[in-house]
Amino acid sequence: METQKIIISGNLGEEVEEAVGRLSPDRLFLLTDHTTRDLCLPRLRECSRLIANMEASHQISIGATDDNKTLESLVDVWTALGEGGATRHSMMINLGGGMVTDLGGFAASTFKRGIAYVNIPTTLLSMVDAAVGGKTGINFRGLKNEIGVFNAADTVILDTGFLRTLDRENLCSGYAEMVKHGLISDRQTLDELLSFDLGDVDYARLSDMVAASVAVKERIVAADPHEKGLRKALNLGHTAGHALESLAMEEGRTVLHGYAVAWGLVCELWLSVVHCGFPTPLMRQVAQFVRENYGHFAITCKEYDRLYDFMLHDKKNTAGSICFTLLGEVGDIRLDQHVSREDIFEMLDFFREGL
Ligand code: GLY
């Protein structure tokens, strides 16, 4: 996979024009969802003549939220590219959260065997995770990100100005991935993350922390772009987290992805204590931060089998055995940890009672 250029934006308009100019595409397309079309595109138009003067037929917009990350939306984007005269030398800009950058990246990666694309993430979650690292795709038959390819954006432009209008829940959601990056990095980074006040956001400080967080992901993806080894570190919190997220969706009490990741991190730090000697006081410190900022997700023992089932069907597993990424300490990453059903149920006991 090609490496992508990641820009911490100082001047969005100039950076967009530079990213497009570098590849000088024959036609430029812009993908938004209906929310980013209304709320974020005006800002991009204001600062970039190129975007302000784009033909209407080259501007594609799909429904917002994850339930639009479908084959139907993908077909709509391919159709718009085709009808707009896109060739292999065209280019697409994806302006939005993870749904837009994942689906847009997949549409671009597959249209005429692949056209270049630029991501401009507008949510914290997409800035520190989805838009970076070349994972693209759509949901299929009820399974998240079931169909997709690894193919990096040519450029990712991170403009933290978009975060000033992001609601608290979405800010917290993205922040969980930053805590994950802290846990797989070093104690100082983690301490800084756990001392940040999400109720009274210091945006200048957040901006620096976003840059540091993205650098963690960038380093890991550069070492292992296709998730053969080290990139699995980025799955910390996600085996339990995805199970909680799927259960929540099934029971009609859907939660934002990052909330499930935050709860999943607590679960998997408990496993890390038991299996890898992770320090208990630190696990409790993270659990307290999560409790204060993400609240509690109620589960009962009757749901354990279902949660176990979700974990068993996680696409990160190999041959029917549940595989976790755990930690021996902050930054001491233990990949491919197989954990028994009994220990998983005990982890769920801890989560049910302790959080
Ligand atoms: N979201 C985890 C990864 O990009 O590998």
Side-chain angles (χ1 to χ4, degrees):
M1 189 165 67
E2 304 276 316
T3 48
Q4 55 193 183
K5 188 168 172 175
I6 298 180
I7 298 171
I8 308 296
S9 180
N11 184 327
L12 182 59
E14 269 180 23
E15 287 141 5
V16 168
E17 308 215 342
E18 207 271 324
V20 175
R22 204 149 37 83
L23 291 187
S24 53
D26 59 358
R27 289 187 179 85
L28 180 65
F29 291 81
L30 176 78
L31 178 70
T32 57
D33 65 33
H34 298 337
T35 305
T36 58
R37 177 193 61 195
D38 296 343
L39 299 181
C40 303
L41 182 54
R43 175 148 172 249
L44 196 55
R45 280 206 185 103
E46 249 170 48
C47 63
S48 162
R49 277 230 316 271
L50 191 69
I51 303 296
N53 296 331
M54 266 183 90
E55 280 180 40
S57 65
H58 291 183
Q59 298 178 30
I60 310 164
S61 194
I62 56 177
T65 71
D66 205 63
D67 48 358
N68 288 292
K69 200 170 152 184
T70 58
L71 191 55
E72 290 72 30
S73 302
L74 184 66
V75 168
D76 289 345
V77 177
W78 282 331
T79 304
L81 287 171
E83 288 178 353
T87 73
R88 194 179 276 181
H89 307 289
S90 299
M91 185 176 195
M92 190 154 86
I93 295 176
N94 301 315
L95 176 70
M99 193 277 282
V100 169
T101 58
D102 278 10
L103 187 145
F106 187 46
S109 303
T110 45
F111 188 79
K112 294 197 189 283
R113 297 210 176 92
I115 64 173
Y117 71 98
V118 169
N119 282 340
I120 307 178
T122 56
T123 63
L124 185 55
L125 190 72
S126 56
M127 286 182 197
V128 297
D129 192 22
V132 177
K135 279 187 180 175
T136 72
I138 56 165
N139 303 333
F140 187 62
R141 291 165 67 102
L143 297 170
K144 281 171 73 79
N145 303 321
E146 181 72 351
I147 309 289
V149 293
F150 284 101
N151 181 39
D154 182 73
T155 308
V156 183
I157 305 174
L158 297 167
D159 186 327
T160 53
F162 286 116
L163 300 180
R164 288 180 181 266
T165 49
L166 196 65
D167 58 86
R168 163 110 197 238
E169 281 69 35
N170 275 292
L171 203 74
C172 286
S173 181
Y175 200 81
E177 298 285 358
M178 292 173 66
V179 172
K180 177 194 79 180
H181 288 162
L183 281 163
I184 59 175
S185 300
D186 57 78
R187 191 61 199 259
Q188 194 188 332
T189 308
L190 181 67
D191 287 346
E192 197 188 344
L193 284 157
L194 296 182
S195 67
F196 190 73
D197 186 352
L198 281 165
D200 181 17
V201 175
D202 174 345
Y203 286 99
R205 191 172 155 212
L206 180 62
S207 206
D208 290 343
M209 288 160 75
V210 166
S213 196
V214 170
V216 173
K217 176 151 186 184
E218 214 182 341
R219 178 173 52 78
I220 290 176
V221 171
D224 176 24
H226 294 108
E227 203 171 305
K228 303 278 188 246
L230 182 62
R231 187 166 182 168
K232 293 181 196 170
L234 298 172
N235 297 332
L236 180 69
H238 282 66
T239 304
H242 277 153
L244 292 165
E245 190 177 7
S246 303
L247 183 78
M249 200 188 297
E250 191 171 80
E251 295 179 348
R253 45 180 182 145
T254 302
V255 296
L256 290 176
H257 174 70
Y259 278 64
V261 169
W263 297 321
L265 284 172
V266 175
C267 289
E268 295 182 17
L269 287 185
W270 184 87
L271 282 181
S272 297
V273 169
V274 172
H275 278 262
C276 309
F278 188 84
T280 305
L282 190 50
M283 181 271 286
R284 294 212 177 275
Q285 198 187 334
V286 176
Q288 188 183 337
F289 180 85
V290 168
R291 190 167 37 243
E292 281 168 11
N293 290 287
Y294 299 86
H296 176 67
F297 182 74
I299 56 168
T300 69
C301 306
K302 287 193 189 125
E303 289 160 316
Y304 286 12
D305 282 326
R306 189 68 187 126
L307 284 165
Y308 185 79
D309 209 40
F310 281 127
M311 290 183 223
L312 207 52
H313 290 98
D314 192 302
K315 63 173 164 301
K316 301 186 295 293
N317 292 331
T318 44
S321 162
I322 301 177
C323 212
F324 287 88
T325 294
L326 300 178
L327 297 177
E329 236 303 350
V330 178
D332 174 8
I333 300 157
R334 311 281 178 89
L335 304 177
D336 301 323
Q337 299 292 308
H338 295 274
V339 176
S340 69
R341 181 185 169 95
E342 289 68 36
D343 282 352
I344 289 175
F345 278 32
E346 265 192 57
M347 168 190 88
L348 294 174
D349 281 341
F350 169 79
F351 180 74
R352 181 172 55 84
E353 292 160 5
L355 196 79

